[in-house]
Amino acid sequence: MVVRLVPEGQATKAAGGASDYELDAELESWDGNRNRSKTATGPGSYPSGSGRKGDPLQDYYDRLGFDPLTMGQREMMELQKAAEEKWKASIPGTPLGKRERNALKQLSCYGPNIAVHSSKIKGCGDETAERLKARGFLETTAHPKHANSFESLILTDAGHTAFRALQAEQS
């Protein structure tokens, strides 16, 4: 709501200013655009992107190649799976990160092919574990209570070999 106070003797419109009708129309059109962008969805009930670069939702859609106005949940799931596979395929060609090296060091103390509870390996969260799994250096066991988490980490023979190669480089 817009409230404008006008002194009693000056109730006439100032020259060149917008009328109350014009201001009301502008406010209603702005409010209508805002509400429309919040409710515009496609077949999968995904919110439509803004179309502007720098908008996080629009950038995510662009990265996936997703159009929320014409695509549904099935297409979103397929595009997300393809993007994840592409990410996993890109990992082996990159150097090991600090957290990956640290996790390999800690796991090598237990040896290869031994299940180690995830709480005993510091700094090895979901992303680090996924990167090590993509390299073939790690296997995980599912957590019995939390479906999207892991309970144990298992250093593979390839992971143990990679750790020994890192040790040889540093010597």
Side-chain angles (χ1 to χ4, degrees):
M1 175 175 12
V2 175
V3 176
R4 191 169 15 171
L5 299 176
V6 180
E8 209 175 305
Q10 298 179 2
T12 59
K13 180 182 164 211
S19 70
D20 287 343
Y21 176 77
E22 292 169 334
L23 290 173
D24 287 344
E26 183 180 343
L27 180 62
E28 286 173 12
S29 72
W30 177 81
D31 192 41
N33 288 338
R34 184 179 58 139
N35 289 336
R36 189 173 22 249
S37 69
K38 283 185 179 180
T39 59
T41 60
S45 297
Y46 291 100
S48 63
S50 66
R52 295 186 316 264
K53 294 292 178 194
D55 174 24
L57 181 61
Q58 185 65 49
D59 290 347
Y60 180 69
Y61 288 163
D62 291 345
R63 259 194 322 275
L64 288 179
F66 181 72
D67 180 7
L69 299 177
T70 61
M71 297 177 166
Q73 184 175 7
R74 183 179 54 79
E75 291 92 349
M76 173 62 101
M77 300 301 278
E78 290 172 0
L79 290 169
Q80 286 175 329
K81 185 174 173 82
E84 184 177 348
E85 293 301 320
K86 184 178 176 184
W87 175 77
K88 284 180 180 179
S90 72
I91 297 294
T94 61
L96 286 168
K98 180 180 177 181
R99 290 180 191 254
E100 292 172 282
R101 290 190 308 269
N102 186 34
L104 284 178
K105 180 179 180 181
Q106 293 175 67
L107 285 164
S108 69
C109 293
Y110 295 94
N113 305 312
I114 297 175
V116 180
H117 195 274
S118 60
S119 65
K120 295 186 181 204
I121 308 300
K122 303 297 178 203
C124 187
D126 291 341
E127 186 173 338
T128 303
E130 288 299 321
R131 293 176 69 84
L132 289 170
K133 284 173 61 175
R135 295 177 193 279
F137 296 167
L138 184 70
E139 293 175 2
T140 59
T141 61
H143 195 283
K145 294 182 182 178
H146 307 289
N148 294 332
S149 190
F150 49 85
E151 183 175 36
S152 298
L153 305 171
I154 304 165
L155 182 67
T156 63
D157 291 326
H160 193 63
T161 303
F163 174 72
R164 284 186 287 171
L166 283 173
Q167 292 297 86
E169 284 179 17
Q170 294 177 353
S171 303

